[in-house]
Amino acid sequence: MSNRPRILWLEGVFDEPTIDAFSAISPAVNFWHEGFVKALISAGCDVTLVGHPHDRVWPWGRALIRSGDGVLAAGFSGQVAGYLNFPLLRTRSQEWNYLRLVKAYVATHGRPDYVYTFNDTPATPAARYLSQALGVPWIYIAGDGPVLPGANGYLYQNWVYFEASE
């Protein structure tokens, strides 16, 4: 068994065709996530991603996003979460699928050493489950908003939000 820290990154890093197919995916955010996850891997961490491709809510976007509709960028391992993309159902569907995939990860690979999230997203309940039920340290990255209480550690992408949290 490896002694490399195992990180569950609850956000996707998608390939170019997926970014092109889903106009709601921010190429800048995807690029930032890619660089950060690559840095974690370069530092000796095993990183597994669980993420979903962002789409506008139906009727402006797809009604159903399947897990196969999004592809992680080359060199990244993990799973893509599908979801129902209807108003009032989307967030619940995403939260349920993140929790389902996280529990499947734990059942197969065991408890990760850390879980990372970026902003408050539908992945937050899955991170909270790992943190509270299994004692996995939760690192919350505040990218473009105030911090969400309850994480074990915080990274700030924006100095203003760091100052506001003090």
Side-chain angles (χ1 to χ4, degrees):
M1 178 173 214
S2 172
N3 62 355
R4 296 166 44 110
R6 291 181 312 124
I7 295 172
L8 199 52
W9 178 271
L10 299 185
E11 186 65 55
V13 175
F14 295 102
D15 67 2
E16 288 298 322
T18 301
I19 294 169
D20 292 341
F22 289 89
S23 62
I25 294 176
S26 166
V29 170
N30 194 74
F31 180 75
W32 190 90
H33 288 192
E34 180 179 15
F36 195 89
V37 172
K38 281 182 177 178
L40 290 170
I41 293 168
S42 293
C45 299
D46 272 330
V47 182
T48 301
L49 287 71
V50 175
H52 72 280
H54 299 265
D55 200 11
R56 293 181 66 196
V57 70
W58 182 87
W60 298 277
R62 297 166 179 85
L64 174 65
I65 311 298
R66 293 178 178 85
S67 60
D69 291 342
V71 176
L72 297 176
F76 294 95
S77 63
Q79 292 191 298
V80 176
Y83 57 96
L84 299 172
N85 198 26
F86 296 103
L88 306 175
L89 294 177
R90 175 167 68 172
T91 300
R92 283 294 201 201
S93 174
Q94 291 169 329
E95 290 172 348
W96 185 84
N97 279 313
Y98 271 101
L99 191 56
R100 179 181 60 80
L101 290 172
V102 162
K103 287 181 176 181
Y105 172 89
V106 170
T108 304
H109 304 286
R111 176 189 172 279
D113 296 312
Y114 300 93
V115 60
Y116 281 68
T117 60
F118 184 85
N119 291 331
D120 186 11
T121 70
T124 300
R128 194 169 270 128
Y129 161 77
L130 287 168
S131 177
Q132 293 175 354
L134 301 180
V136 176
W138 172 23
I139 309 302
Y140 179 91
I141 301 171
D144 58 5
V147 299
L148 183 68
N152 301 98
Y154 295 91
L155 295 173
Y156 296 90
Q157 191 180 32
N158 183 314
W159 182 256
V160 172
Y161 294 122
F162 169 74
E163 288 181 323
S165 70
E166 294 182 320

